[in-house]
Amino acid sequence: MALIVHKYGGTSMGSTERIRLVAKRVAKWARAGHQMVVVPSAMSGETNRLLGLAKELAPAKITDAYQRELDMLASTGEQVSVALLAIALQGEGMESVSYAGWQVPILTNSAHTKARIESIDDQKVRVDLVAGKVVIVTGFQGVDEAGNITTLGRGGSDTSAVAVAAAMKAAECLIYTDVDGIYTTDPRVVPEARRLQTVGFEEMLEMASMGSKVLQIRSVEFAGKYKVPLRVLSSFTPWDIDIAIEAKSGTLITFEEDENMEQAIVSGIAFNRDEAKVSVLGVPDTPGIAYQILGAVADANIEVDVIIQNVSKDGKTDFSFTVHRNDFAKTVDLLKEKVLPKLGATEIIGDAKICKVSIVGIGMRSHVGVACKMFRCLSEEGINIQMISTSEIKTSVVIDEKYMELAVRALHKAFELDQPVA
Ligand code: ADP
Ligand code: ASP
Ligand code: MG
């Protein structure tokens, strides 16, 4: 008998009929003798609906007090889901109990709308499991030390599930979603994308951080840190399929290099539309400039991604970087108010219509010319590259948003990701 964590995403929980199917699947696992902890997301569309209501009433300036209320609001989506799933399980004749994050408790820091989990007290959950109950815990939410409800950022239920699995030393964490595993790229953008049997942890981390929303990046970080066996699989298979077949389906995230791993140089392509570019023009090219610009941004708790500084001309240079689109207006305002007057820079321009496309693969460590092949492919499509950033196992480019799908499709083909690895 093993302790297993299941996570079900929004589409999987999208209607009472789907919730009933989730309950049947969970009941099958419990009846096979497993101790089951289930972490569901809000029903699909619900988090967007709730945040949309807040937007209609939002104050002119985004404040900490407003962010706190966003968490109060958005966390209710998951509270509805856990209760409905518990009821559906009871309908299947299973004893079950649901908990909101604060009831467990799942303790987080106080960074509203992007809180980090600090600890999980699993005592209550263990007592219920021993009593033979299926325990259902809200995804996406926790509570800070002062008792405020927090949320973990969009897609955060993945992280809740992996963190619960890590805290409880679960045998496996199964992430059930609306695709049947991790693909070479988003199969909704490239129909030829191939499902991977396994994907290395480092590659998955890079894919997630470059925008593949199939797993929230922090869930992959948790899995790596605590070595949680993690699998992504479909909740759309018939609920009564053989449990042994189901347990081996989808994509397994692996921690050992080489073992059964597909040896492609580029394993996947990720893309991200959530960024915006900010350029500070006519900056004096003197020591301390990057610090003055980015220091002010960091002090405002805004994360910066790709950075580029141009060659200077006549002692002046241009400095560009990307931030999350949600932070775009705040960044521009901040630079205009605080940095521009001090620097004597001439202008700040912003562009929210950009996207970042990345190729990811562990094989890039040992092969040269991979980035070059990417640039050639984009040039053949007539796509202008605005910024470039590289790491050991990825190359990213910032391009005009309108070319995103074209770029992803062309790169998928150029790197032969539609072909099975020999
Ligand atoms: P859930 O609601 O179950 O959390 P998400 O929408 O967050 O589901 O994540 C699943 C989606 O991720 C898929 O429907 C797919 O469109 C998208 N996706 C993006 N990149 C990939 C990829 N490389 N492999 C599989 N799915 C991907
Ligand atoms: N419901 C939250 C969201 O839509 C969390 C999640 O689905 O993982 O982002
Ligand atoms: Mg998700």
Side-chain angles (χ1 to χ4, degrees):
M1 181 161 91
L3 197 164
I4 307 277
V5 175
H6 279 191
K7 181 257 170 178
Y8 291 90
T11 318
S12 312
M13 294 288 295
S15 62
T16 46
E17 194 37 48
R18 290 231 59 87
I19 292 174
R20 202 193 312 276
L21 294 172
V22 168
K24 286 183 187 293
R25 190 181 297 272
V26 171
K28 173 183 76 177
W29 280 75
R31 291 198 172 107
H34 298 301
Q35 290 189 323
M36 297 301 299
V37 180
V38 186
V39 179
S41 294
M43 296 169 79
S44 60
E46 182 60 6
T47 311
N48 285 346
R49 187 185 74 84
L50 293 167
L51 293 176
L53 294 176
K55 219 171 172 184
E56 285 178 29
L57 300 169
K61 233 181 169 44
I62 291 177
T63 58
D64 292 345
Y66 172 62
Q67 308 262 66
R68 179 192 183 278
E69 301 313 322
L70 284 184
D71 282 355
M72 274 302 270
L73 177 70
S75 60
T76 61
E78 271 68 12
Q79 195 173 325
V80 169
S81 285
V82 289
L84 290 177
L85 183 55
I87 291 168
L89 273 158
Q90 288 161 11
E92 295 300 316
M94 299 294 309
E95 276 198 70
S96 67
V97 57
S98 72
Y99 294 113
W102 64 269
Q103 290 174 304
V104 176
I106 296 177
L107 199 68
T108 72
N109 66 13
S110 302
H112 285 294
T113 74
K114 47 183 168 191
R116 283 177 182 266
I117 295 176
E118 290 180 342
S119 63
I120 295 178
D121 182 350
D122 65 355
Q123 241 183 334
K124 214 186 269 180
V125 177
R126 286 207 187 271
V127 170
D128 290 324
L129 289 175
V130 169
K133 293 180 189 166
V134 172
V135 183
I136 305 162
V137 176
T138 48
F140 184 50
Q141 61 173 266
V143 62
D144 75 0
E145 237 175 5
N148 299 300
I149 290 177
T150 54
T151 67
L152 310 177
R154 300 307 304 268
S157 298
D158 299 329
T159 303
S160 306
V162 179
V164 166
M168 302 200 68
K169 301 196 171 47
E172 193 160 11
C173 181
L174 302 177
I175 307 279
Y176 287 86
T177 185
D178 55 8
V179 281
D180 63 352
I182 309 285
Y183 279 68
T184 47
T185 193
D186 189 337
R188 294 186 205 284
V189 171
V190 182
E192 298 77 29
R194 250 183 342 107
R195 183 171 62 82
L196 302 164
Q197 292 275 340
T198 62
V199 61
F201 155 72
E202 282 179 90
E203 286 174 325
M204 194 59 240
L205 196 63
E206 203 69 80
M207 294 265 280
S209 92
M210 292 302 117
S212 292
K213 296 207 170 72
V214 58
L215 285 177
Q216 197 198 37
I217 177 160
R218 285 188 197 154
S219 71
V220 188
E221 285 169 357
F222 259 104
K225 189 164 174 196
Y226 298 101
K227 297 287 175 293
V228 179
L230 185 62
R231 184 180 288 276
V232 175
L233 67 170
S234 173
S235 70
F236 284 73
T237 53
W239 70 267
D240 55 353
I241 60 169
D242 186 287
I243 208 166
I245 293 171
E246 184 174 330
K248 295 270 171 260
S249 67
T251 302
L252 180 71
I253 295 30
T254 58
F255 298 101
E256 300 86 26
E257 251 181 65
D258 290 331
E259 199 194 305
N260 293 328
M261 279 200 358
E262 300 189 24
Q263 289 300 317
I265 296 169
V266 170
S267 307
I269 297 172
F271 50 85
N272 183 356
R273 280 182 240 256
D274 294 343
E275 291 189 25
K277 187 170 81 167
V278 180
S279 302
V280 190
L281 308 183
V283 187
D285 194 12
T286 51
I289 288 300
Y291 172 64
Q292 283 194 50
I293 297 173
L294 298 180
V297 175
D299 287 346
N301 219 350
I302 296 169
E303 267 178 56
V304 168
D305 187 23
V306 188
I307 304 170
I308 195 165
Q309 181 175 342
N310 286 353
V311 176
S312 79
K313 203 171 160 237
D314 306 326
K316 299 266 184 189
T317 186
D318 300 335
F319 194 92
S320 299
F321 57 93
T322 63
V323 293
H324 195 283
R325 261 186 216 185
N326 292 347
D327 292 325
F328 178 54
K330 194 171 163 190
T331 308
V332 172
D333 289 350
L334 172 97
L335 291 175
K336 280 193 176 149
E337 276 169 33
K338 299 207 173 134
V339 180
L340 206 64
K342 261 201 270 173
L343 277 184
T346 50
E347 203 185 339
I348 294 185
I349 49 174
D351 184 358
K353 292 204 160 65
I354 54 140
C355 71
K356 190 171 70 178
V357 176
S358 309
I359 54 172
V360 174
I362 210 112
M364 288 168 75
R365 271 192 191 136
S366 47
H367 287 78
V368 291
V370 183
C372 201
K373 185 168 171 180
M374 178 187 203
F375 304 150
R376 188 175 66 217
C377 168
L378 295 174
S379 97
E380 280 167 4
E381 297 296 334
I383 299 171
N384 185 40
I385 299 172
Q386 303 179 18
M387 300 166 107
I388 298 171
S389 116
T390 64
S391 78
E392 228 188 351
I393 65 164
K394 71 118 211 285
T395 301
S396 305
V397 296
V398 172
I399 59 173
D400 190 322
E401 186 186 53
K402 67 175 180 255
Y403 298 123
M404 192 192 81
E405 297 198 355
L406 173 64
V408 173
R409 286 204 192 100
L411 289 167
H412 196 267
K413 193 148 199 276
F415 286 100
E416 296 173 2
L417 290 177
D418 45 350
Q419 309 291 327
V421 178

